[in-house]
Amino acid sequence: YDDAFDAVVVGAGLAGSAAALTMASASLDVLVVERGTSPGAKNVFGGVLYTPTIRELVDVEDAPLERYVGEKRFGVLTEDDETAVSIQPGAWRDDPHNDSYTVLRGDFDEWFAEQAVEAGATLVTETTVTGLLRDDDGTVVGVETDRPDGTLRAPMVVLAEGGNSLVSEGADLKERPERGDVAVAVKEVLEFPDADDAIEQRFRLTGDGGAAYHYFGDGAVGDAFGGAFIYTNDDTLSVGLAYRIDDAVTTQPNPAETLDHFKSHPAVAPLVRGGRTVEYAAKTIPEGGAEAVPDLVHDGAVVVGDAAGLVLNNGVHLEGTNMAVESGYYAGLAVADAVASGRTKAHALADYPRSLESSFVVKNLEHYEWLLNAVEDDRDLLFSELPRAVADAGAEYFRVDHAPKHDHAANAKSRLFETVGGWRGAAKLAWRYRKVI
Ligand code: FAD
């Protein structure tokens, strides 16, 4: 082709399809190039899809959503204890269910890409973009693909290739992320052919309601910096974990062994018992926060979604899907304006970063910038010593024997205080994490 398209989108994930949909709706000729056999075929996530922006772009009535998230549960695991908090606001049972749904990406991404195609975009699958074309002054003017004669020229390229962004890095649009800014994740999907209603009963679900369980501590990911999860789908479970690559290459057993260990924890094993693995996958998560976000606009190109490091993973929130869609949408609007005015240099695309900065995406990344660093400094205390102390204190507080209750309460308090350093230590900790509290 020779400029047969106004824009080429690299990757039909959430960010790529949101950008394609937005540009096609603005009457641009858009080509989406996806390396998988279908959109989503290569995608790995937990996970919960957050839909506020998707819902504004398309009608999700017929979307392949699995279950709405009616319960969020956070559990801290030692080797053999669990201490957990569960949140089940009644309002989450009402439509649109806090915009949080479990999905299987193989189904959802395919459906979302179809919405872009219905809006007028062209989708090519089983094609990998191998590099970018540049003109004499360095402006990006198209892509190289792995197809014979697979060079495509276009005034604009949207890089939506996800966290493993080899094309963007190879073209110097961003630097390779530091090892400490990337997590490695493994995930499996389990089905329960021999246990009717296993998921409903084990997670106390009714109707379309589902649950998102998050786990931290030694029993979840050993000494590593990260966490584990279980999400309920219609009739399968998504079970996985993620931790820093730094730990994966140093102290931690490999991710598959760590996942097996997590699944054998006494508080987890009954939830996954009898599960048969129907999917097994691994992927990286960029989690460098606001500081690691590269330049979003270049002459002839924009970077969106995970490729731009737009993921909030602070332990309490793991949100990348909403950021991917929001960034794809704003990038799509900016590209449509730039193409319409015949100006595709970086400065003509400035509306994209400007919009993103005033949106929840950059605000959330900036707000929690400090958190990962703080948690990393306190990781032994938060993931190992404190969970052990809370479990011991809980067992002591509720102990039933011949001693009076106030003795047990005093012992429980001492156990906690010796770990955090008394009132002063507790106050310091509360102050340090006040923004989360
Ligand atoms: P991706 O979804 O990675 O899509 C990139 C697409 O580009 C893929 O389809 C890929 O095949 C294609 N591609 C890549 N390179 C090329 C190429 N060279 N040529 C052609 N095609 C290419 N977020 C949440 O909101 N909730 C969660 O519960 C959650 N859990 C997660 C759990 C795990 C284990 C992981 C790994 C991530 C999780 N995330 C979660 C993050 C979330 O998955 C991402 O933020 C989101 O998928 C980013 O979307 P994207 O479109 O930018 O990239």
Side-chain angles (χ1 to χ4, degrees):
Y1 298 106
D2 203 6
D3 271 8
F5 295 95
D6 297 314
V8 174
V9 179
V10 183
L14 297 170
S17 288
L21 178 64
T22 307
M23 293 186 290
S25 303
S27 303
L28 259 58
D29 282 326
V30 180
L31 177 71
V32 185
V33 183
E34 167 57 46
R35 68 190 167 134
T37 48
S38 58
K42 293 260 184 200
N43 265 353
V44 185
F45 100 130
V48 180
L49 177 80
Y50 300 100
T51 60
T53 311
I54 293 181
R55 198 179 282 286
E56 286 165 17
L57 297 178
V58 289
D59 180 0
V60 295
E61 187 69 24
D62 299 323
L65 306 172
E66 296 281 314
R67 290 177 180 273
Y68 71 82
V69 177
E71 179 190 8
K72 270 184 189 278
R73 191 167 183 279
F74 297 91
V76 186
L77 305 181
T78 68
E79 271 308 313
D80 54 2
D81 316 286
E82 179 185 28
T83 307
V85 176
S86 157
I87 302 156
Q88 304 187 46
W92 289 3
R93 289 194 278 275
D94 301 332
D95 212 29
H97 307 299
N98 196 32
D99 273 310
S100 309
Y101 299 85
T102 56
V103 300
L104 295 167
R105 293 289 294 275
D107 298 333
F108 188 84
D109 286 16
E110 191 168 17
W111 176 86
F112 194 39
E114 269 166 27
Q115 311 307 302
V117 170
E118 277 175 27
T122 302
L123 171 68
V124 178
T125 56
E126 295 184 72
T127 307
T128 301
V129 171
T130 52
L132 298 183
L133 294 179
R134 291 186 187 264
D135 70 6
D136 293 343
D137 74 357
T139 300
V140 175
V141 290
V143 300
E144 308 267 11
T145 74
D146 62 350
R147 293 207 172 213
D149 302 324
T151 300
L152 290 156
R153 290 182 62 88
M156 283 300 313
V157 175
V158 177
L159 289 141
E161 53 183 327
N164 194 18
S165 46
L166 301 178
V167 179
S168 308
E169 287 164 29
D172 289 333
L173 300 191
K174 62 179 275 198
E175 284 177 14
R176 191 165 187 73
E178 309 218 340
R179 220 167 62 180
D181 287 343
V182 181
V184 60
V186 280
K187 173 210 170 172
E188 59 185 323
V189 176
L190 302 176
E191 66 174 17
F192 297 86
D194 304 323
D196 283 349
D197 298 332
I199 294 171
E200 284 81 356
Q201 286 174 15
R202 293 176 191 182
F203 293 84
R204 297 158 295 136
L205 307 180
T206 51
D208 295 337
Y213 283 19
H214 300 264
Y215 296 91
F216 310 96
D218 289 353
V221 289
D223 289 339
F225 186 62
F229 55 80
I230 303 180
Y231 299 113
T232 59
N233 303 313
D234 228 357
D235 49 17
T236 56
L237 288 183
S238 295
V239 183
L241 46 80
Y243 52 84
R244 286 279 164 86
I245 283 193
D246 264 348
D247 296 319
V249 297
T250 51
T251 54
Q252 190 64 15
N254 74 44
E257 281 173 40
T258 308
L259 182 56
D260 286 345
H261 189 69
F262 165 65
K263 282 164 56 191
S264 69
H265 189 281
V268 176
L271 302 175
V272 299
R273 190 178 51 232
R276 192 168 73 191
T277 306
V278 290
E279 251 183 52
Y280 200 102
K283 198 167 183 251
T284 54
I285 309 179
E287 46 179 44
E291 275 171 14
V293 174
D295 286 342
L296 298 173
V297 292
H298 303 265
D299 293 345
V302 293
V303 190
V304 296
D306 273 20
L310 303 176
V311 179
L312 176 67
N313 186 9
N314 61 19
V316 185
H317 311 97
L318 171 46
E319 297 181 10
T321 55
N322 49 352
M323 297 194 165
V325 174
E326 190 83 350
S327 62
Y329 168 67
Y330 282 129
L333 288 182
V335 169
D337 281 351
V339 169
S341 64
R343 295 155 55 240
T344 58
K345 298 279 187 203
H347 57 81
L349 298 158
D351 271 355
Y352 164 42
R354 207 175 293 132
S355 303
L356 215 56
E357 263 159 39
S358 50
S359 76
F360 69 87
V361 175
V362 171
K363 285 184 182 159
N364 286 350
L365 287 179
E366 283 177 347
H367 181 73
Y368 287 108
E369 185 73 41
W370 61 278
L371 182 60
L372 275 174
N373 298 334
V375 172
E376 189 147 21
D377 289 347
D378 292 333
R379 61 195 274 181
D380 286 344
L381 176 68
L382 296 179
F383 291 159
S384 187
E385 294 160 17
L386 201 51
R388 178 80 263 155
V390 169
D392 290 349
E396 180 60 29
Y397 186 83
F398 290 109
R399 186 184 305 281
V400 177
D401 59 13
H402 297 295
K405 292 264 177 259
H406 63 79
D407 284 2
H408 292 311
N411 291 342
K413 190 174 125 196
S414 315
R415 178 69 183 90
L416 283 177
F417 272 22
E418 85 194 14
T419 306
V420 296
W423 282 115
R424 187 185 286 266
K428 264 191 187 163
L429 208 58
W431 179 251
R432 195 158 157 77
Y433 292 99
R434 64 194 179 283
K435 283 194 197 165
V436 181
I437 295 163

